[in-house]
Amino acid sequence: MAAGGRPWRVIPRPVLETVLHNHALRPRVPQPLLFHGPRGVGKSTLLFHRLLPRWSDPPHATAFVDFLHPTPSSPAAAPWSLLPADPASPPSLHDLRLRLETALEGLARAAVLCGAVGSKDVLAALSRNHGLSTALSRLSGPSATPSSAASVPARRSSATSVPALWSRAVLATVRRDDTVFSIGEGEATNCSMEERAYMQEAMAALRVAKEVLGMQEGWRKDSIREMNRTGRFSRSLANSATDWPCLLLDVLSGAAEEEFFQPKLVLNNVDVLRKAICKDETMVPAAMYHDSFIWRVIALGANEQCLPVIMSTSDGYYSSQAFVDFGFPNIFISRETFGWTAQEAKLHMVSEFFSEQEWKVVDEVLGPNPRQLSEIYMLKQKANNPEVLHDRNIEEIIDTYLAHLQVSVVNPAMENALKMLQKFASDVREGKVPENRLSFGAPWRHPPRDDNPDLSYKWAKIQLMDFIQSFVNTEFGLNYLADDSLEILDDPAAVAMMEVGLLYQQREPSFMRPITCGIERCLARWLAQQRLQLNIQEMLAFFWQRLIRGRSYRHLMKEIGYK
């Protein structure tokens, strides 16, 4: 039997750790790295507990941004689906943007304190893409724009040149206190007066750059409001929202030097940024902010090389569609992980956490997903407490765990998927769905024509049951690239299931499947529950849907192109 009371531990994964560590060892790289895989395979645990300590020792410095949690938490606290942890208060773009900028500002501050960044570096990076005269004139005060300069329009006065205005603005900013860009007590104590003055000037330069970009973004607020109202797109307006973090990336990338200062940026759960809410009409939408930031990281890496940027996500969008949206099959360095194989999980679990007999049951029902194994082991350890509702029998523990997954994860996610299908029906009525997505014979071609919530809900429920039934018939796995028509990616039920995070779209091989074996069993149980709740009329409608318009994806079960 497994040793009783033994705490769960983070098990190393040497090959994957070596791959990520070797990428991060270089001061600058030409491409960002995308670290993706389904929920529960240990991505956040690997980054936070295994690699981040190594990447935080000098000369390395890492900005770790977790968009899902303000502070990094244990894997057990992370949600299984892609739904917000608190539906009442989903993450806002303003908070996530502040979190990203704060992390990069801390990294820039560390660069200044080690002498890697100076005022001239900030000015050079800022001047490459921005006009500075007007903003610097306002920051420098009225003395920076003497009337004599206006009398010579053909030749700029030396007093109003950008370097002179920059020097005045930096000098004025040095005299002001700042909570972020300042030298605190006990810092730079071993530096000379000249070195300390150099650092103070660099800190003031970063403050001036932030104020300049904030001022220029403020000038565009009315244009952004108009863009949001009309639904149009402007690259310059989108870039204005990401100017400050991208400037910091530019400055830090230029300062990166091997064995001296090697900064890195880790974005955990980057999918949360893409789906954040934004109620401020003067800010760009979250998806536009997300795309603009990643585009500029890609451009910086391709043109001048960028500090290592590692983006971790559990959203299947980043496995395939993101490469299409950003225009090139190899635009990111892709590192996809699926956790342990059954043999690896048995090697780590048996005798230390589970007995041989217990492992056979766990492996058959739940599979080798690391997070599910840790949660089952936690239930097993608590089985002797008087308040628990199960005994120490492993079958009873697994039944309790599956019931928990059903009630707290799968059922709420399916309700959200139903809402997405109802939204799809509304979009069809309003003509927002392109005709090529409503091709002849498509099971979702004829949603209710009336704006009746009850009819829309019943239609969405039948569509989702039809999809789950067809998914059961394919043994919960299909190759979405096996058919050149890519029909499965047009299916609103499949899209909704991937949006809520119960299905994962792999990159290699190109399978679409439930994120774990436990979720797979819960989906089958959800279908059985819904069929039992149907009345006669709804059952006839479901059988008619299956017989006349029903989905069939069995032709996608074949593994084309894979040995």
Side-chain angles (χ1 to χ4, degrees):
M1 295 292 291
R6 178 173 296 176
W8 184 266
R9 63 183 179 89
V10 178
I11 299 174
R13 303 183 61 186
V15 175
L16 189 56
E17 289 178 22
T18 302
V19 169
L20 296 177
H21 186 62
N22 287 344
H23 174 80
L25 276 181
R26 292 180 287 178
R28 289 180 293 274
V29 293
Q31 291 174 278
L33 186 143
L34 191 58
F35 185 39
H36 53 115
R39 288 275 188 204
V41 297
K43 301 182 298 298
S44 298
T45 301
L46 177 69
L47 289 171
F48 186 70
H49 293 286
R50 298 288 302 172
L51 294 175
L52 192 59
R54 300 164 66 183
W55 294 346
S56 300
D57 293 334
H60 302 281
T62 303
F64 184 85
V65 185
D66 192 338
F67 290 113
L68 188 61
H69 301 287
T71 56
S73 59
S74 63
W80 272 110
S81 67
L82 295 177
L83 302 177
D86 184 6
S89 58
S92 67
L93 176 61
H94 178 270
D95 295 338
L96 301 184
R97 176 179 174 178
L98 182 63
R99 203 176 299 173
L100 172 62
E101 292 176 355
T102 302
L104 285 172
E105 287 169 1
L107 205 57
R109 190 175 181 279
V112 170
L113 290 176
C114 71
V117 171
S119 175
K120 291 183 179 180
D121 301 321
V122 179
L123 177 59
L126 191 61
S127 301
R128 275 196 288 269
N129 300 309
H130 301 278
L132 304 178
S133 299
T134 303
L136 287 177
S137 298
R138 296 192 179 187
L139 288 176
S140 302
S143 61
T145 56
S147 58
S148 60
S151 63
V152 191
R155 296 176 57 188
R156 176 169 298 184
S157 169
S158 61
T160 57
S161 64
V162 170
L165 292 173
W166 177 261
S167 298
R168 290 171 182 258
V170 169
L171 182 61
T173 308
V174 167
R175 300 166 184 166
R176 301 200 306 261
D177 293 331
D178 188 86
T179 57
V180 178
F181 295 119
S182 61
I183 301 178
E185 296 183 5
E187 295 178 331
T189 55
N190 297 327
C191 300
S192 64
M193 294 294 293
E194 291 81 3
E195 291 172 335
R196 190 177 180 87
Y198 179 84
M199 294 178 188
Q200 287 177 335
E201 182 184 6
M203 294 280 193
L206 288 171
R207 293 204 297 270
V208 170
K210 185 176 183 179
E211 292 178 7
V212 166
L213 295 179
M215 187 180 298
Q216 293 182 348
E217 184 183 2
W219 294 340
R220 297 183 174 95
K221 283 188 175 181
D222 291 337
S223 299
I224 293 175
R225 183 186 288 108
E226 180 66 15
M227 180 186 69
N228 291 334
R229 187 185 67 82
T230 58
R232 297 177 181 177
F233 172 74
S234 169
R235 184 175 296 277
S236 61
L237 295 181
N239 287 348
S240 68
T242 57
D243 278 340
W244 175 234
C246 290
L247 174 71
L248 293 176
L249 277 178
D250 192 358
V251 172
L252 290 167
S253 299
E257 184 178 343
E258 190 170 3
E259 299 300 331
F260 176 60
F261 180 68
Q262 295 183 232
K264 304 161 193 30
L265 175 62
V266 179
L267 304 177
N268 197 30
N269 297 300
V270 71
D271 51 279
V272 178
L273 178 63
R274 186 171 70 97
K275 299 176 181 178
I277 62 171
C278 182
K279 297 181 180 179
D280 188 352
E281 295 180 353
T282 62
M283 290 179 63
V284 300
M288 191 180 297
Y289 182 92
H290 164 276
D291 293 348
S292 173
F293 180 75
I294 293 181
W295 263 120
R296 298 181 73 176
V297 170
I298 293 171
L300 180 61
N303 296 331
E304 303 177 21
Q305 294 204 337
C306 178
L307 60 86
V309 177
I310 299 175
M311 297 179 288
S312 173
T313 177
S314 300
D315 193 343
Y317 164 82
Y318 296 87
S319 298
S320 175
Q321 190 59 38
F323 291 81
V324 176
D325 291 347
F326 287 97
F328 188 65
N330 297 315
I331 197 74
F332 304 106
I333 300 174
S334 173
R335 293 294 178 265
E336 190 169 26
T337 178
F338 303 107
W340 294 319
T341 64
Q343 293 80 7
E344 291 172 338
K346 181 178 180 180
L347 179 66
H348 295 305
M349 295 292 107
V350 173
S351 76
E352 184 172 1
F353 300 107
F354 299 100
S355 67
E356 184 79 31
Q357 196 64 30
E358 289 174 337
W359 173 250
K360 290 181 180 179
V361 179
V362 172
D363 184 35
E364 180 182 356
V365 179
L366 296 178
N369 185 277
R371 191 195 299 176
Q372 284 194 340
L373 294 178
S374 68
E375 292 175 350
I376 283 292
Y377 183 70
M378 180 181 65
L379 288 178
K380 178 185 172 185
Q381 294 299 97
K382 293 181 179 180
N384 293 328
N385 294 343
E387 62 270 14
V388 299
L389 301 178
H390 57 78
D391 55 29
R392 199 173 177 82
N393 182 277
I394 193 65
E395 289 87 353
E396 184 71 19
I397 294 174
I398 291 176
D399 286 343
T400 304
Y401 179 69
L402 288 176
H404 163 73
L405 280 183
Q406 186 76 49
V407 173
S408 63
V409 177
V410 174
N411 289 350
M414 297 302 281
E415 287 298 322
N416 278 270
L418 288 173
K419 293 177 182 178
M420 293 179 185
L421 285 171
Q422 290 177 269
K423 178 67 166 56
F424 175 82
S426 175
D427 291 343
V428 171
R429 285 193 300 270
E430 296 174 3
K432 297 180 180 179
V433 178
E435 287 294 330
N436 59 358
R437 197 175 174 187
L438 300 172
S439 57
F440 180 79
W444 54 88
R445 180 180 171 86
H446 299 289
R449 297 181 180 180
D450 299 331
D451 189 11
N452 187 323
D454 291 336
L455 290 178
S456 180
Y457 180 81
K458 291 178 181 178
W459 177 85
K461 184 176 179 180
I462 289 176
Q463 290 293 318
L464 199 54
M465 290 175 63
D466 181 32
F467 174 78
I468 298 297
Q469 183 63 64
S470 68
F471 212 54
V472 171
N473 295 343
T474 61
E475 300 175 5
F476 288 99
L478 49 86
N479 190 333
Y480 60 89
L481 293 183
D483 186 358
D484 293 336
S485 69
L486 299 177
E487 175 192 3
I488 184 67
L489 301 182
D490 287 333
D491 190 337
V495 173
M497 292 290 290
M498 288 187 290
E499 285 289 324
V500 299
L502 296 183
L503 297 186
Y504 180 72
Q505 184 181 351
Q506 299 178 189
R507 177 170 176 81
E508 186 72 26
S510 55
F511 284 129
M512 184 186 297
R513 60 177 179 82
I515 56 175
T516 69
C517 295
I519 297 296
E520 175 183 313
R521 290 178 177 272
C522 290
L523 289 176
R525 184 180 296 181
W526 179 88
L527 177 62
Q529 290 174 344
Q530 297 304 313
R531 293 189 63 168
L532 290 174
Q533 294 172 5
L534 295 178
N535 57 36
I536 297 297
Q537 184 180 2
E538 292 172 340
M539 186 163 295
L540 289 175
F542 174 68
F543 284 139
W544 187 88
Q545 169 77 21
R546 289 295 304 158
L547 184 63
I548 305 299
R549 293 180 179 168
R551 296 164 171 82
S552 178
Y553 293 127
R554 289 186 63 83
H555 62 290
L556 298 180
M557 294 176 66
K558 52 188 177 181
E559 301 182 31
I560 293 181
Y562 301 105
K563 297 180 181 179

